[in-house]
Amino acid sequence: MSNIVAIVGRPNVGKSTLFNRLTDSRKAIVDAESGVTRDRHYGKSEWNGVEFSVIDTGGYVKGSDDVFEGEIRKQVKLAIEEANVILFVLDVAEGITEDDKVVADMLRRGKKKVFVVSNKVDNNVRQGLSGEFYALGLGEPHNISSISGSGTGDLLDEVVKALDKDAEVELLEIPKFAIVGRPNVGKSSFINALLGKERNIVTPIAGTTRDSINTRYTSFGHDFLLIDTAGIRKKSKVEEDLEFYSVMRSIRAIEDCDVCLLLIDATLGIEAQDLNIFHLAEKNRKGIVVVINKWDLVEKDTNSTKIYEEKIREKLAPFKDVPIIFTSALTKQRVLKAIESAEKVNESRTRTIKTRELNDVMLPIIEHSPPQATKGKHVKVKFITQLPTHAPTFAFYCNLPQYVSEGYIRFLENRLRENFDFNGVPIQVFMRKK
Ligand code: GDP
Ligand code: GDP
């Protein structure tokens, strides 16, 4: 269902340079708005109309200059488990090293599609050297230079062919909700509260629950699929591994879902890693419900919910129009409310607003506050329509789309949000030439 491309390889072969090249355009947009500094180890990319997530597994290795073989093994293992396609990056100037052989052995045994990427092929002389990599037994090497970008287009042509192009097309019509969040926020407990105790076993030690399972829930008039990322495997003992594993799981779950319920530990508040997941969902244009769990542990007076909510919203900016639900998985308080909220978000996300209604509401608003004239040019919006995409997208047809500012586009988005309920739903606004 999902499209995940993992970049693996020993340190210094150029993994992060390649990662930046594959994800740059998107990163700029989102980072600039949120003002949040984030780990740049995963991002969205698109080629020939196929969207996919890119993960730089090496980015998770601390002090990558003297990594132990074991560290590399761990990254590759995760990539084999979680990715659809693996880019195995090698340094053509150095040829095959012992570490490369370790990676190659694992990749040959894993059943995933692997592309051998011969990096640092900056000139013709180096092209001839790549032939050496056939010896790894993983097929034809693809010559690229991550620094200049040469060869990356041809590589991506092949990569997207190998990906599931129909990732968006879903067989099951029921809504899919993903329960995501950092280790220990209460994902297992939340799912237990929903599905009943016997369903799985929760222990107080982070990462000791079973593997993730998708469950169809059909009680009390509800019908949805739960994508559960709680199952962090026992083998990860170190905090960073857990963190890394949960990120990998979250990426997959977010790709697969319609709405994600992002669980936050109320006693810790929202942190960088939570925001990573939030922005990932936003970038994927999935519905979002923020769930503040362990609310029973927070000392409360009359205003505390409101104050807490305000603080959370500030951190989520600019995408603040999301439901925030305060739960206790322990006492089952408002767990079902969180689900109902996800159902509502899903409805808003899949609804199509009639062109007539859209124009009746939006044209008078635009008339009243038209885009400012730039360089003596007046922008005239003629009509608006919702495009038949899987997440709400609106096209505003006008004479001079290139003269409409980002600020005005945001203004239009906000008016759409005020007039049509898109709580928890990322929406896109495009200006198009009429
Ligand atoms: P990583 O440790 O695998 O993520 O490697 P980096 O992306 O950090 O790159 C390691 C070094 O190789 C850096 O100095 C990069 O500038 C350099 N590098 C990456 N790609 C290329 C390339 O295509 N050509 C050349 N000449 N150098 C590159
Ligand atoms: P996961 O790693 O996200 O799946 O988190 P778990 O469900 O395993 O929960 C981690 C710990 O937090 C366990 O000790 C739970 O009992 C506890 N916990 C989970 N939800 C709540 C809650 O709403 N209130 C309180 N007080 N504890 C909770």
Side-chain angles (χ1 to χ4, degrees):
M1 275 200 285
S2 45
N3 280 340
I4 299 177
V5 175
I7 303 175
V8 304
R10 64 180 170 80
N12 282 320
V13 291
K15 293 184 298 300
S16 49
T17 310
L18 177 60
F19 172 86
N20 286 336
R21 184 157 283 285
L22 297 185
T23 56
D24 239 343
S25 53
R26 297 246 174 186
K27 165 183 137 187
I29 301 164
V30 175
D31 281 356
E33 284 177 354
S34 61
V36 182
T37 352
R38 285 185 272 129
D39 293 342
R40 293 301 319 160
H41 306 319
Y42 60 90
K44 285 297 277 187
S45 192
E46 186 260 318
W47 188 255
N48 291 347
V50 181
E51 288 195 6
F52 52 94
S53 291
V54 187
I55 303 165
D56 170 13
T57 62
Y60 286 87
V61 183
K62 300 265 145 74
S64 60
D65 273 347
D66 48 34
V67 196
F68 301 106
E69 188 189 303
E71 279 295 313
I72 299 174
R73 278 185 184 279
K74 230 157 38 196
Q75 309 302 321
V76 176
K77 198 162 191 298
L78 286 168
I80 291 171
E81 282 170 14
E82 299 294 332
N84 303 75
V85 167
I86 297 170
L87 304 182
F88 176 20
V89 183
L90 296 124
D91 183 339
V92 76
E94 291 193 37
I96 299 174
T97 69
E98 285 308 310
D99 282 343
D100 292 333
K101 286 182 191 163
V102 170
V103 176
D105 282 341
M106 293 180 71
L107 291 177
R108 275 197 310 274
R109 275 181 275 123
K111 299 269 178 273
K112 291 291 161 72
K113 172 78 185 161
V114 176
F115 288 92
V116 174
V117 178
S118 177
N119 190 35
K120 308 197 187 179
V121 182
D122 304 332
N123 52 50
N124 290 340
V125 180
R126 286 185 167 184
Q127 247 166 38
L129 300 174
S130 294
E132 179 187 355
F133 296 137
Y134 275 106
L136 296 167
L138 287 161
E140 181 196 353
H142 298 259
N143 290 329
I144 66 162
S145 167
S146 294
I147 279 192
S148 74
S150 83
T152 50
D154 290 344
L155 174 66
L156 285 175
D157 284 346
E158 298 298 315
V159 167
V160 298
K161 266 188 232 160
L163 288 170
D164 177 15
K165 286 192 201 191
D166 300 325
E168 306 288 357
V169 181
E170 236 344 288
L171 300 172
L172 266 175
E173 287 298 316
I174 60 169
K176 290 180 283 302
F177 301 154
I179 311 296
V180 297
R182 288 183 297 141
N184 239 12
V185 294
K187 296 183 296 298
S188 304
S189 310
F190 186 92
I191 283 164
N192 286 349
L194 210 58
L195 302 179
K197 275 249 173 352
E198 67 287 356
R199 193 57 185 65
N200 45 44
I201 307 135
V202 189
T203 70
I205 306 150
T208 50
T209 41
R210 76 280 164 273
D211 287 343
S212 84
I213 319 165
N214 297 347
T215 315
R216 186 165 180 173
Y217 182 96
T218 50
S219 307
F220 311 111
H222 301 278
D223 189 4
F224 56 87
L225 196 74
L226 264 185
I227 304 173
D228 163 12
T229 59
I232 294 156
R233 289 166 202 187
K234 278 197 192 111
K235 51 192 171 250
S236 314
K237 293 197 187 71
V238 191
E239 193 62 26
E240 290 119 64
D241 298 346
L242 269 178
E243 204 66 61
F244 176 70
Y245 208 90
S246 71
V247 169
M248 292 281 272
R249 274 284 154 83
S250 304
I251 293 171
R252 162 138 295 204
I254 287 168
E255 291 239 340
D256 288 348
C257 78
D258 299 305
V259 179
C260 73
L261 291 98
L262 172 58
L263 265 65
I264 311 281
D265 186 327
T267 62
L268 299 175
I270 198 159
E271 294 177 1
Q273 195 64 32
D274 303 312
L275 285 171
N276 276 343
I277 303 175
F278 180 82
H279 290 300
L280 189 70
E282 187 190 354
K283 272 194 273 186
N284 275 283
R285 302 200 293 284
K286 300 302 174 122
I288 305 173
V289 176
V290 173
V291 178
I292 311 295
N293 190 41
K294 308 195 188 179
W295 192 236
D296 56 288
L297 295 180
V298 174
E299 272 202 50
K300 290 171 275 285
D301 54 49
T302 40
N303 267 332
S304 36
T305 313
K306 222 174 135 211
I307 293 164
Y308 202 104
E309 194 179 318
E310 267 318 302
K311 269 200 273 183
I312 297 282
R313 265 187 223 289
E314 267 167 39
K315 296 211 171 154
L316 300 179
F319 182 31
K320 295 199 277 189
D321 185 19
V322 292
I324 298 176
I325 312 287
F326 294 82
T327 64
S328 168
L330 202 67
T331 66
K332 300 194 184 188
Q333 230 183 345
R334 282 184 295 274
V335 165
L336 213 56
K337 180 154 190 249
I339 291 294
E340 279 159 9
S341 181
E343 288 173 328
K344 191 159 177 298
V345 168
N346 187 58
E347 269 170 42
S348 307
R349 187 171 173 271
T350 49
R351 184 188 50 191
T352 307
I353 299 167
K354 290 199 182 68
T355 303
R356 166 97 188 263
E357 196 185 347
L358 205 51
N359 286 274
D360 283 352
V361 171
M362 292 304 289
L363 285 179
I365 291 173
I366 294 167
E367 182 103 3
H368 187 260
S369 318
Q372 275 194 337
T374 38
K375 298 179 192 153
K377 309 270 190 199
H378 289 276
V379 178
K380 192 99 186 74
V381 176
K382 304 273 169 49
F383 75 100
I384 307 127
T385 179
Q386 183 172 355
L387 302 176
T389 49
H390 64 278
T393 308
F394 298 91
F396 286 69
Y397 288 89
C398 60
N399 55 339
L400 296 163
Q402 67 274 28
Y403 286 99
V404 180
S405 68
E406 279 302 313
Y408 195 76
I409 289 174
R410 241 187 330 272
F411 165 82
L412 292 177
E413 174 177 339
N414 289 337
R415 297 298 88 73
L416 282 168
R417 290 190 177 282
E418 278 166 18
N419 288 280
F420 307 96
D421 183 0
F422 286 115
N423 194 221
V425 183
I427 63 177
Q428 282 188 303
V429 171
F430 291 118
M431 306 305 297
R432 287 243 176 116
K433 177 104 184 136
K434 172 62 196 166

